[in-house]
Amino acid sequence: MSAAAVSVCIPAYQAGRYLADTVRSVLAQTLDDVEVVVLDNASTDETPDILRGFTDPRLRVLRNDRVLPLAENWNRVVAESRGRFVKLVCADDLLHPDCVRRQYEVLASDPAIALVCARRDMINEAGEVLAANRGLRGLVGRQPAGTVIRKIVRHGGNPLGEPGGALFRREQFDAVGGFDARWKFPMDLALWIGLLGHGDFVGQRESLAAFRVRRSSLSARAQRAEYAEQRALSEGLASDPGWGVRPVDRLVGAAMAPGARLRRQALFLVAKRQGERG
């Protein structure tokens, strides 16, 4: 059996509440040449039972014998994939039916493009939209890597978005060493930065994914630790002469970072209140 063009990788840990919806959204993609790899990270809830309920031949289910740390688990699910292009989708997020096709068409058309990201909707635990068409401000269309890096520094947060909104080349993922365990909260952004060392960026105007804002999620617990890691990542970029980050970019980023943090915290606060009312 030949390898699929695109591998959609889903790391799953205690994912029973949302996993079925996530898998269904991936299997509903309009691009046929897709494999779906789900890695159950030794879950003890209903995750294994839910996965046994799917019979689609495009789906492969794997399971860890023990719980792996986040970066190791994410890297393993990508290592098990066979596609030339890869998308990682967290087990509570969703994809628009055209997401993979539209992003595949961008990457497959030009080897000089290393990363494509789409805008996304922020949804609550019930799947209701909290904020639509988020991300990629000033980054829509094709952008040189250096331009994107400077905008990341100026943003003070993650203007490119979470893994579900991105598609990248497996070859380049391996070349940069995958997800870096030294980072906990901006682990995805650190990967995007590494991939940009291999080519240009394309930002898609349409919202093609949905990130679920949950009260118990890693991002909801971030607060000061996330802020500190984000600032350290930005400072590292600003100090690298290869990216041409200007002093004004660093100053703007330092000024913008608290606001980026507060906007994200506000979404989690809204999700928490809605969940409590529900």
Side-chain angles (χ1 to χ4, degrees), residues 23-209:
V23 173
R24 281 193 288 265
S25 80
V26 174
L27 292 174
Q29 293 301 298
T30 56
L31 181 71
D32 294 329
D33 198 6
V34 172
E35 71 160 356
V36 183
V37 184
V38 181
L39 178 57
D40 177 3
N41 195 15
S43 300
T44 57
D45 67 350
E46 64 268 40
T47 293
D49 296 329
I50 290 170
L51 292 171
R52 280 192 288 268
F54 287 93
T55 59
D56 194 300
R58 297 171 296 171
L59 175 66
R60 285 193 292 129
V61 177
L62 308 168
R63 180 177 170 87
N64 293 326
D65 294 330
R66 60 181 177 85
V67 178
L68 299 180
L70 188 65
E72 186 177 346
N73 190 52
W74 285 21
N75 284 330
R76 189 196 167 201
V77 71
V78 176
E80 294 287 349
S81 69
R82 302 164 182 161
R84 180 182 172 198
F85 304 101
V86 176
K87 175 182 288 293
L88 187 138
V89 179
C90 294
D92 52 359
D93 295 341
L94 303 172
L95 299 184
H96 185 282
D98 284 336
C99 180
V100 174
R101 178 183 63 81
R102 297 183 70 167
Q103 296 191 321
Y104 167 74
E105 289 173 351
V106 171
L107 280 186
S109 69
D110 190 340
I113 299 171
L115 178 66
V116 55
C117 293
R119 284 178 170 161
R120 78 283 195 207
D121 296 335
M122 314 297 279
I123 60 175
N124 64 12
E125 294 177 348
E128 301 165 334
V129 176
L130 296 172
N133 299 309
R134 291 292 294 266
L136 301 182
R137 179 175 296 179
L139 288 168
V140 170
R142 186 164 183 163
Q143 309 282 340
T147 298
V148 180
I149 293 298
R150 288 191 293 273
K151 286 185 180 289
I152 289 172
V153 173
R154 291 175 70 95
H155 182 272
N158 179 0
L160 306 187
E162 301 77 23
L167 186 72
F168 50 87
R169 301 175 191 275
R170 169 64 187 278
E171 178 183 24
Q172 293 171 354
F173 175 88
D174 292 341
V176 302
F179 292 101
D180 189 340
R182 292 176 299 175
W183 303 105
K184 183 176 182 180
F185 298 104
M187 191 171 68
D188 48 2
L189 181 59
L191 176 62
W192 308 155
I193 292 166
L195 293 172
L196 288 170
H198 290 265
D200 290 348
F201 173 82
V202 171
Q204 294 175 306
R205 185 180 305 278
E206 302 81 7
S207 182
L208 297 177

